[in-house]
Amino acid sequence: MTPLLQVNNLRVRFHSDFGDRIVTDDISFHVDEGETLGIVGESGCGKSVTNLAIMGLLSRNGTVEAGSAVMDGKDLLKLSDKELDKVRGKDIAMVFQDALASLDPVFPVGKQIEEQVRKHLGKTHQEAQQMILEDLRQVGIPDPQQTMKKYPSELSGGMRQRIMIAMALSCGPKLLIADEPTTALDVTIQAQIMQLIRGLAAKRHMSVILITHDIGVVAQNADRVMVMYAGQFVEEAPVRELFRNPLHPYTRALLAATPSLEDESGRELVPIPGTVPENYTFLTGCRFAGRCALKIDACDAHQEWREVLPGHYVRCCRVEAGLPKGADEVKEEAGAGTVCPGNTADVEGPAAAPALSEEKKEAAHV
């Protein structure tokens, strides 16, 4: 099956007074029709930049140096601004993490959605109004007629996010990019927003790229997961496979730092030491090596992106046939609390948040 979106070897560079910096390098991935792809990683890893580049929304000091992003036979990276305007909002739409900054404060939200509907679908004012009312009902707005007349500042954070989703879906896009769609919302509203996106995607058979730093959100909502670190993908797997058998030390570290209501072992959360490198333009080896408890000399060399199990890819020299080399040594380090076992409970349906019970530790691949 031909992917809905195929991105190959994307590299983005930013220019500044302090010198140039490569932000994403050798980024390749695909999204199938009706699939939800989760992209997870710490802030500053390049998740949002990757998708802004695909949408042609990089700031003026950002440049796509190499790569392609093919959708419906067209390379989005080679389209002119005028050609991209016909694609953005219609075939591919984006929900940004800060709805208040994304909505125009001087126009009612209904007028903002109507402008997009009339532009892309050629609807009359009356037709557009009816479509907007229906879209607002679908995203759970209780009084859509009155809400259309309100300004963004008059709405709560959860309502603004629903408006953003309604706007993104108003023209029936094939692909929705949700960039941290629950940022700054309380836990209850976060769950409602994610349930809304998941339900609408299934109803419309729409593909979704879900960008987040919360690995628990990915566990509950994605079909396939790509873990990103310092401008590169370090691991990819179906969501259940990733949580049952995480292979890259960074993935395991994320799981070790994630709390779980299902974990009854009373384990302590293990923070990841250090920070994401600010400039990795000239790094040649593993970009996580400086924070990794499993580092060996070979980590300083180039790390190949390879398939080690069916559908399971990783960028790590410590992995061989799904198991790290020197497993006994790794177990000793894990027992000392320096690295996460990376084990999770078996799940049915969407993967659960990571749990590390004593009986499960024996099955952990460390």
Side-chain angles (χ1 to χ4, degrees), residues 15-199:
H15 314 279
S16 72
D17 294 337
F18 303 99
D20 290 359
R21 174 186 168 193
I22 295 176
V23 179
T24 63
D25 191 21
D26 193 25
I27 295 296
S28 298
F29 67 95
H30 70 278
V31 185
D32 294 327
E33 292 185 8
E35 178 188 37
T36 296
L37 173 68
I39 300 180
V40 65
E42 292 172 89
S43 297
C45 286
K47 307 182 300 297
S48 296
V49 167
T50 296
N51 289 278
L52 288 173
I54 294 170
M55 293 281 288
L57 296 175
L58 289 174
S59 57
R60 291 184 178 181
N61 64 329
T63 303
V64 176
E65 280 198 341
S68 62
V70 178
M71 182 175 179
D72 290 337
K74 296 178 290 188
D75 187 350
L76 302 178
L77 304 182
K78 294 182 179 179
L79 298 182
S80 65
D81 289 340
K82 186 175 181 179
E83 291 170 325
L84 268 176
D85 281 341
K86 297 179 181 179
V87 175
R88 287 188 298 235
K90 186 175 185 298
D91 296 326
I92 180 170
M94 194 166 184
V95 176
F96 298 91
Q97 55 183 292
D98 189 349
L100 187 59
S102 302
L103 294 169
D104 194 322
V106 299
F107 291 103
V109 294
K111 185 172 182 62
Q112 297 184 51
I113 302 175
E114 180 182 345
E115 180 182 1
Q116 179 167 291
V117 171
R118 297 186 67 177
K119 173 184 176 181
H120 288 298
L121 303 182
K123 300 294 184 180
T124 64
H125 171 70
Q126 293 298 327
E127 293 171 334
Q129 291 284 304
Q130 291 303 312
M131 289 184 64
I132 295 168
L133 285 173
E134 180 58 30
D135 286 336
L136 293 180
R137 291 190 187 100
Q138 286 196 24
V139 299
I141 300 295
D143 189 354
Q145 190 76 52
Q146 289 300 315
T147 302
M148 288 176 61
K149 304 174 184 178
K150 293 185 177 182
Y151 293 85
S153 59
E154 299 179 281
L155 302 172
S156 67
M159 291 285 278
R160 285 195 294 265
Q161 205 64 25
R162 290 173 187 270
I163 293 295
M164 286 292 298
I165 295 171
M167 182 181 295
L169 300 181
S170 61
C171 296
K174 301 174 183 177
L175 174 63
L176 175 69
I177 300 176
D179 185 3
E180 302 278 9
T182 58
T183 296
L185 301 178
D186 65 61
V187 176
T188 302
I189 302 301
Q190 285 183 25
Q192 292 176 2
I193 294 298
M194 291 312 308
Q195 184 179 21
L196 173 62
I197 292 175
R198 187 168 62 244

